[in-house]
Amino acid sequence: MQRHTGRDMWDAEECQSPRMGSVILGVDGGASNTVCVCIPAAMPFNDPLPVLSRTVAGCSNHNSVGEDRARETLERVMSQALLKARRRRSNVCAVCLAVAGVNHPIDQQRMLDWLREIFPSHVKLFVENDAVAALASGTMGKLHGCVLIAGTGTIAYGFTSDGREARAAGAGPVLGDWGSGYGISAQAMTAVVRAYDGRGPETVLTNNILDFLGLASPDELIGWTYEDQSWARIADLLPVVVESAESGDEVANKILHNSVGELASSVKAVVQRLELGGEDGKHPFPLVMVGKVLEANKRWDIGKEVIDCVTKHYPGAYPIHPKVEPAVGAALLAWNAIASELDGDIRNVQ
């Protein structure tokens, strides 16, 4: 694949006649892909929200692909989003990057310093973990409540109305993101190997996974796994595990039941630390549910099972399935942060 320098990516903006109007960029960078949306700063809260452009690229988690490649991906989606919207960097009034792997203030500051090299001095810059944008996608940019992400990876993240925050899980597959698409799929692959060598029970996962991957025997599964240890590649086996569970396979069902417990435990840990449910657990708070693991299937609905587990302890939790994607949530975070600073002729008051 051809690599591009930052200068190359922005060359096109010098060759176009941009439209007028300030814009905001929102970026959601996860373990599988990176999405950037460009929205107008003078934004009416209509349904659907106005999105001027949307671009997609690969993984931008620096823990997965390295810092150089992650930054290249982020810069590509931002430059392409502005190009599609016929805007230049001078039109941007705010950027919010919400990226997996940003887990410490040092990570945030490093990304902010890098962004400052790209955008003019007037641009407001924000860097968050991708879970923050996912929460904002369900609360229209307001940071209050808890979000559970369960896609390729998983994390629970929460905020109180006075700004306190807490997280659980999200440490990556090596440290046990069980309940994620990767975690579920990795356990299924382990079950296949255990059944093959006699350490575990027989399971339909064996035939189903081998058929899905076009492999002849579990021996070949070992080679397939280690030729490319991409988290997203392994997580793609999730539908096979769910299908096997829905057919009645005990091993697959046990994996999914355990995953429900892991995901619910992450949420409950965050809620308890932040006391989101109040003393009796009945205080209302939003529980935003994001990710392919939490989507309903024919018989298995992991998301509903997780909600049932959480609400037994915290009946005040009310689930939200966002109507907008996390990249829009990132843009809304930036919009809310700068809304009071926008001039009257830029800001569209409802």
Side-chain angles (χ1 to χ4, degrees):
M1 182 181 70
Q2 184 179 3
R3 303 296 291 267
H4 298 276
T5 66
R7 180 67 238 176
D8 293 336
M9 294 182 190
W10 298 103
D11 281 346
E13 76 174 359
E14 305 298 334
C15 305
Q16 64 174 336
S17 299
R19 293 176 178 173
M20 298 300 291
S22 297
V23 295
I24 293 170
L25 295 179
V27 182
D28 169 49
S32 297
N33 57 37
T34 302
V35 178
C36 179
V37 297
C38 179
I39 66 172
M43 183 181 62
F45 275 83
N46 295 331
D47 186 11
L49 290 168
V51 175
L52 301 175
S53 64
R54 179 182 186 272
T55 52
V56 184
C59 174
S60 56
N61 184 338
H62 66 90
N63 292 326
S64 302
V65 299
E67 193 163 289
D68 289 344
R69 187 172 170 187
R71 289 182 175 183
E72 180 182 328
T73 298
L74 291 167
E75 197 163 358
R76 181 184 304 115
V77 293
M78 290 188 292
S79 62
Q80 290 177 348
L82 286 176
L83 181 63
K84 289 176 67 175
R86 293 183 61 188
R87 300 299 200 278
R88 294 179 177 177
R89 282 173 286 180
S90 57
N91 294 120
V92 178
C93 60
V95 178
C96 180
L97 289 189
V99 187
V102 175
N103 301 315
H104 191 275
I106 294 176
D107 299 326
Q108 287 180 305
Q109 190 58 53
R110 189 164 58 241
M111 294 294 287
L112 285 169
D113 292 342
W114 169 69
L115 283 174
R116 182 50 64 205
E117 296 175 0
I118 297 173
F119 289 96
S121 59
H122 73 272
V123 180
K124 303 292 185 181
L125 303 174
F126 307 92
V127 175
E128 301 286 356
N129 184 275
D130 63 328
V132 181
L135 175 61
S137 71
T139 60
M140 296 304 289
K142 296 179 174 62
L143 292 182
H144 173 254
C146 182
V147 62
L148 174 64
I149 298 178
T152 297
T154 182
I155 188 172
Y157 214 114
F159 281 86
T160 62
S161 55
D162 61 0
R164 290 182 296 120
E165 59 187 277
R167 58 176 284 171
V174 175
L175 298 178
D177 269 357
W178 307 126
S180 68
Y182 177 94
I184 291 170
S185 300
Q187 290 181 72
M189 294 167 65
T190 300
V192 170
V193 174
R194 288 175 59 85
Y196 182 64
D197 61 21
R199 290 180 295 130
E202 294 296 319
T203 170
V204 301
L205 286 167
T206 299
N207 288 334
N208 290 350
I209 288 178
L210 294 180
D211 288 347
F212 182 81
L213 297 177
L215 304 177
S217 75
D219 283 330
E220 296 181 12
L221 182 61
I222 298 173
W224 179 89
T225 301
Y226 292 107
E227 71 182 9
D228 178 359
Q229 297 181 54
S230 163
W231 304 349
R233 176 173 173 261
I234 292 174
D236 285 342
L237 293 173
L238 174 66
V240 181
V241 184
V242 174
E243 179 185 343
S244 301
E246 291 181 337
S247 72
D249 184 72
E250 291 185 8
V251 174
N253 272 287
K254 183 178 180 179
I255 291 171
L256 296 187
H257 278 296
N258 290 342
S259 298
V260 168
E262 291 285 349
L263 295 171
S265 293
S266 295
V267 172
K268 288 186 286 186
V270 169
V271 174
Q272 181 178 359
R273 286 163 62 189
L274 295 178
E275 299 178 319
L276 290 174
E279 293 184 1
D280 58 2
K282 296 180 180 180
H283 186 77
F285 65 90
L287 174 56
V288 180
M289 308 286 283
V290 176
K292 59 187 177 184
V293 173
L294 304 176
E295 297 173 359
N297 295 280
K298 293 179 181 178
R299 298 180 183 177
W300 254 102
D301 189 338
I302 295 176
K304 181 180 182 301
E305 296 286 338
V306 171
I307 292 168
D308 289 345
C309 285
V310 172
T311 53
K312 285 180 182 178
H313 298 271
Y314 299 102
Y318 55 93
I320 295 176
H321 298 277
K323 295 182 180 180
V324 299
E325 62 183 333
V328 176
L332 290 172
L333 279 173
W335 192 92
N336 280 331
I338 69 168
S340 61
E341 302 176 16
L342 296 175
D343 293 333
D345 59 342
I346 295 179
R347 184 181 178 187
N348 189 338
V349 181
Q350 301 181 70

